[in-house]
Amino acid sequence: MRLRFSHGVITIAIIVVVLAVGVSVGLYFLLKRAPDPLAVPEANCTVRTPEGARSLDPEQAQISATIAAVAARRKLPERAVVIAYATALQESKLYNVRYGDRDSVGVFQQRESQGWGAKKQLLDPVYATNKFFAALVKVKDYLKIPLAEAAQAVQRSAGGYAYAPHEEEAKLLAAAFTGRVPQAVHCWYPQDGTPAPRPRTAEARKQLGRALGSMAITTKKRGWLVAAWSVAHAEKYALSRVGYGGATWSNDLQLEGWQSGGKASDRRVELS
């Protein structure tokens, strides 16, 4: 016996099949886009000032903090830091890269063949930054002339105009890492292992000393510079808490920014 179906029944069946397929496909893509509750976020940093906010990864934050510390050691004004940041953003995106045009390497893409130093030295951000600033301060009126002119006078690149677009971002970073804006740098990183690795506070202070020189906290601005450097290097030295000026940074994904309270004074940046 042959079954016969009306056109209406066939149409309804087709609609049901199409809807079922559509729902299945929609659920697939929805689940694919949904965050994995077991996935661990990557380490990251946020810089926030009245001028805005900027996301950095830990290496970029560490380079930024190092540049500000070297500038403080050399007693340079914030404008010099802005010029250095704009230059580094253009040359390396604030990474300590091991390659570049011809023999250019490092944060500022300096060349061994042009007398900047040996490759190993240029891959040391403290050394590279000192070389950059030593050249910058020799530029006549570098604090007054346009940023791109000052940077180009140091770098002598093929496209000196390219530094100017980074000026606003450089100003934001400088306000945070020089310590002029307190509590501006916040980082987080996943802590592997139980118990967590012991913080290497002595090593952190030693490396900060290479860039900054004296560790004495003579002003609140200097204190916040040290605090910003410490937070930026927290993952590298397994720091989970930084305290200064009555506020505390903790390596806690649930906390946004610094938290008021704690016993941290204005005389010393506490690391743990």
Side-chain angles (χ1 to χ4, degrees), residues 92-174:
S92 68
K93 293 182 173 60
L94 287 171
Y95 290 103
N96 191 26
V97 294
R98 305 184 66 86
Y99 56 86
D101 179 43
R102 286 167 284 190
D103 59 338
S104 299
V105 295
V107 178
F108 297 99
Q109 287 291 279
Q110 295 153 326
R111 298 178 60 190
E112 183 175 8
S113 62
Q114 299 300 309
W116 286 99
K119 180 178 180 179
K120 183 177 180 180
Q121 292 175 309
L122 298 177
L123 287 170
D124 173 4
V126 173
Y127 175 92
T129 302
N130 269 305
K131 294 294 286 187
F132 178 86
F133 282 136
L136 178 64
V137 297
K138 294 177 182 178
V139 177
K140 184 179 179 180
D141 295 328
Y142 79 93
L143 295 176
K144 299 178 181 179
I145 62 178
L147 179 146
E149 290 184 25
Q152 175 65 355
V154 175
Q155 298 295 104
R156 302 184 184 278
S157 70
Y161 59 87
Y163 301 114
H166 301 289
E167 184 166 358
E168 293 307 311
E169 182 176 0
K171 288 179 178 178
L172 186 155
L173 295 176

Side-chain angles (χ1 to χ4, degrees), residues 21-201:
V21 172
V23 170
S24 299
V25 171
L27 285 173
Y28 170 78
F29 283 105
L30 182 62
L31 292 172
K32 188 176 181 180
R33 294 177 60 185
D36 183 352
L38 299 179
V40 178
E42 294 182 350
N44 63 84
C45 295
T46 301
V47 177
R48 184 170 283 107
T49 76
E51 288 77 24
R54 169 77 153 87
S55 295
L56 303 172
D57 69 24
E59 182 180 354
Q60 291 174 307
Q62 290 164 22
I63 295 293
S64 300
T66 296
I67 290 173
V70 171
R73 181 172 190 165
R74 300 178 73 97
K75 296 180 170 59
L76 296 178
E78 189 170 322
R79 178 64 176 176
V81 181
V82 172
I83 297 170
Y85 284 156
T87 304
L89 284 164
Q90 172 60 28
E91 298 290 356
S92 68
K93 293 182 173 60
L94 287 171
Y95 290 103
N96 191 26
V97 294
R98 305 184 66 86
Y99 56 86
D101 179 43
R102 286 167 284 190
D103 59 338
S104 299
V105 295
V107 178
F108 297 99
Q109 287 291 279
Q110 295 153 326
R111 298 178 60 190
E112 183 175 8
S113 62
Q114 299 300 309
W116 286 99
K119 180 178 180 179
K120 183 177 180 180
Q121 292 175 309
L122 298 177
L123 287 170
D124 173 4
V126 173
Y127 175 92
T129 302
N130 269 305
K131 294 294 286 187
F132 178 86
F133 282 136
L136 178 64
V137 297
K138 294 177 182 178
V139 177
K140 184 179 179 180
D141 295 328
Y142 79 93
L143 295 176
K144 299 178 181 179
I145 62 178
L147 179 146
E149 290 184 25
Q152 175 65 355
V154 175
Q155 298 295 104
R156 302 184 184 278
S157 70
Y161 59 87
Y163 301 114
H166 301 289
E167 184 166 358
E168 293 307 311
E169 182 176 0
K171 288 179 178 178
L172 186 155
L173 295 176
F177 285 101
T178 62
R180 179 166 62 81
V181 176
Q183 305 179 29
V185 179
H186 177 75
C187 298
W188 177 86
Y189 68 93
Q191 288 182 301
D192 298 326
T194 303
R198 295 183 61 182
R200 304 195 305 277
T201 57

